[in-house]
C-alpha cells in the first residue's frame, strides 16, 4: 500500500478513536450502563456511526469507479454463518462481563484508561487461542 | 415519555461521537476501498511472532500493515481527544479480573465470528449483510443478559 494511502488509514483510525472518546465509549462503565438499561447512549452511537457508513457504502461505489488512493473497492471477507453466530454468542459473554469491545480496548491506550489494558491483553490471548485451535480451514 | 429518561447523560456527545466514528470508517472506504472493523488486528499482529500457517494466511499477512496503522490511528485519535480537546475520561473501576477474563472471551469470540461491534455492527450492518445483522442481535442480547446477571450478583457496573 502506498504511503499516501496508509496516511488515509491513519486519519480514518484517528477519526474512529476520537469518536469513541467523544462518545465516552472508551469508558467501560458507560457501556455497562447501556447493557443494564440505565443509559441508551450506545445505541445512539452505533446508530449514527452505522447510518453514515450505510449512506457512504451504498452511494460512493455508484458514483465512483475506484477509491481515491487505491484501485478498487474491496468486500468484507466471508465467514460461515455458524461460526459468525457462535462467535457472536461468545463475544457477547465477554463484552457483558467487561464492558470492553476491541475498538475501545485499543483506543483506551491513547485515552489513558490504563486498566483496560487487562482487557486488551486478554483479547490478544483469546485471539491467539482462536487462531491456534479453532481457525477456519 | 421523556427522552431524557433514556439518556441521563444527554444525547449530543453520543450522536457526534457516533458520526465521527462513522466518518472514520467511511473515510477508510472512500480513500482506500477497505472495510475495517477493529478486531482483525488482534489476529494479524500474531503473524509477526509465529510462523504457524493458521495465522500467516495470505490475507492476514497482506493486511497486517494497514491494520497496524489503523490501530495506531485509533490510539492517536483517543490521545488527541483527551490531551488536546480535553474530553472527559474517567479511569475505569471495573475489576481487573472482569476486564481480563472478559477480554479473553471477547478476543476468542470476535475472531471466531470474524467481526465485533465495528466489523459486524458498523461495516456489516451498513452493507445490510444478514449474517452481520444476526451477529449484532446475538452479541447485544448475550451481553445484556450477562451484564445484568453480573449486576444482580454484585459485580461492577
Amino acid at each position: 500500500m502506498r504511503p499516501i494511502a496508509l496516511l488515509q488509514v491513519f486519519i480514518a483510525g484517528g477519526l474512529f478513536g476520537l469518536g469513541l472518546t467523544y462518545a465516552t465509549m472508551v469508558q467501560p462503565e458507560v457501556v455497562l450502563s447501556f447493557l443494564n438499561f440505565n443509559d441508551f447512549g450506545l445505541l445512539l452511537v452505533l446508530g449514527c456511526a452505522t447510518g453514515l457508513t450505510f449512506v457512504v457504502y451504498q452511494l460512493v461505489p455508484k458514483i465512483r469507479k475506484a477509491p481515491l488512493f487505491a484501485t478498487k473497492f474491496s468486500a468484507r471477507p466471508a465467514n460461515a454463518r455458524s461460526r459468525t453466530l457462535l462467535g457472536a454468542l461468545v463475544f457477547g459473554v465477554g463484552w457483558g462481563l467487561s464492558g470492553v469491545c476491541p475498538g475501545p480496548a485499543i483506543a483506551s491506550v491513547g485515552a489513558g484508561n490504563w486498566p483496560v489494558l487487562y482487557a486488551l491483553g486478554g483479547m490478544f490471548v483469546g485471539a491467539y487461542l482462536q487462531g491456534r485451535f479453532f481457525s477456519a480451514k | 415519555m421523556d427522552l431524557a429518561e433514556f439518556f441521563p447523560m444527554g444525547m449530543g456527545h453520543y450522536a457526534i461521537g457516533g458520526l465521527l466514528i462513522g466518518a472514520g470508517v467511511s473515510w477508510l472506504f472512500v480513500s482506500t476501498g477497505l472495510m475495517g472493523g477493529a478486531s482483525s488486528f488482534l489476529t494479524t499482529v500474531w503473524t509477526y511472532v509465529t510462523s504457524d500457517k493458521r495465522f500467516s494466511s495470505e490475507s492476514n499477512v497482506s493486511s497486517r500493515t494497514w491494520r497496524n496503522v489503523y490501530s495506531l490511528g485509533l490510539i492517536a485519535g483517543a490521545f488527541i481527544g483527551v490531551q488536546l480537546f480535553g474530553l472527559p475520561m474517567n479511569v475505569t473501576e471495573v475489576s481487573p479480573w472482569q476486564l481480563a477474563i472478559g477480554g479473553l472471551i471477547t478476543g476468542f469470540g470476535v475472531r471466531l465470528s470474524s467481526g465485533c461491534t465495528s466489523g459486524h455492527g458498523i461495516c456489516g450492518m451498513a452493507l445490510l449483510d444478514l449474517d452481520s445483522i444476526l451477529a449484532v442481535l446475538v452479541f447485544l442480547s448475550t451481553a445484556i443478559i450477562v451484564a445484568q446477571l453480573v449486576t444482580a450478583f454484585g459485580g461492577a457496573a
Side-chain angles (χ1 to χ4, degrees):
Chain A
M1 196 180 265
R2 286 183 295 156
I4 184 82
L6 279 177
L7 177 65
Q8 309 312 314
V9 175
F10 184 74
I11 292 168
L15 286 167
F16 192 165
L18 180 63
L20 284 172
T21 310
Y22 200 96
T24 62
M25 293 291 111
V26 292
Q27 302 180 39
E29 280 82 354
V30 178
V31 174
L32 293 173
S33 173
F34 160 66
L35 296 174
N36 282 290
F37 296 156
N38 295 319
D39 182 331
F40 287 80
L42 186 143
L43 288 184
L44 195 53
V45 177
L46 188 59
C48 288
T50 307
L52 176 57
T53 306
F54 169 77
V55 172
V56 170
Y57 277 10
Q58 302 296 327
L59 282 187
V60 171
K62 290 194 175 72
I63 53 180
R64 284 193 59 92
K65 283 205 178 73
L68 298 170
F69 300 99
T71 50
K72 64 175 174 55
F73 292 108
S74 44
R76 264 174 61 74
N79 192 33
R81 176 173 289 177
S82 56
R83 294 174 63 86
T84 298
L85 297 186
L86 184 63
L89 190 85
V90 175
F91 165 38
V93 174
W95 194 31
L97 192 59
S98 62
V100 184
C101 56
I106 297 165
S108 284
V109 177
N113 204 349
W114 308 118
V116 177
L117 285 173
Y118 286 110
L120 184 59
M123 284 179 200
F124 282 122
V125 176
Y128 180 82
L129 294 174
Q130 186 277 329
R132 176 75 178 72
F133 300 107
F134 295 89
S135 71
K137 287 286 177 289
Chain B
M1 203 160 44
D2 189 0
L3 261 184
E5 249 176 68
F6 296 95
F7 302 98
M9 308 298 285
M11 297 171 72
H13 66 295
Y14 292 131
I16 293 170
L19 289 173
L20 283 167
I21 297 167
V25 175
S26 296
W27 182 245
L28 180 71
F29 183 69
V30 172
S31 63
T32 66
L34 296 168
M35 294 188 183
S39 58
S40 296
F41 167 72
L42 299 171
T43 297
T44 55
V45 284
W46 286 109
T47 62
Y48 291 100
V49 292
T50 173
S51 54
D52 191 322
K53 284 195 174 54
R54 284 167 286 213
F55 289 90
S56 53
S57 67
E58 201 277 330
S59 69
N60 280 350
V61 173
S62 66
S63 73
R64 66 186 183 183
T65 303
W66 78 259
R67 291 191 189 282
N68 292 343
V69 173
Y70 199 42
S71 296
L72 277 178
L74 275 167
I75 292 170
F79 182 83
I80 288 168
V82 173
Q83 300 299 330
L84 255 58
F85 300 153
L87 296 177
M89 220 302 293
N90 300 310
V91 172
T92 187
E93 290 173 15
V94 175
S95 71
W97 77 264
Q98 258 177 277
L99 293 170
I101 303 292
L104 187 133
I105 298 169
T106 294
F108 186 94
V110 293
R111 296 315 302 139
L112 186 63
S113 187
S114 275
C116 56
T117 328
S118 47
H120 287 311
I122 300 172
C123 304
M125 289 208 299
L127 289 169
L128 304 179
D129 179 81
L130 177 62
D131 286 14
S132 283
I133 293 168
L134 293 173
V136 172
L137 292 175
V138 169
F139 68 64
L140 276 180
S141 310
T142 324
I144 286 165
I145 292 167
V146 170
Q148 301 208 0
L149 283 174
V150 170
T151 303
F153 288 95

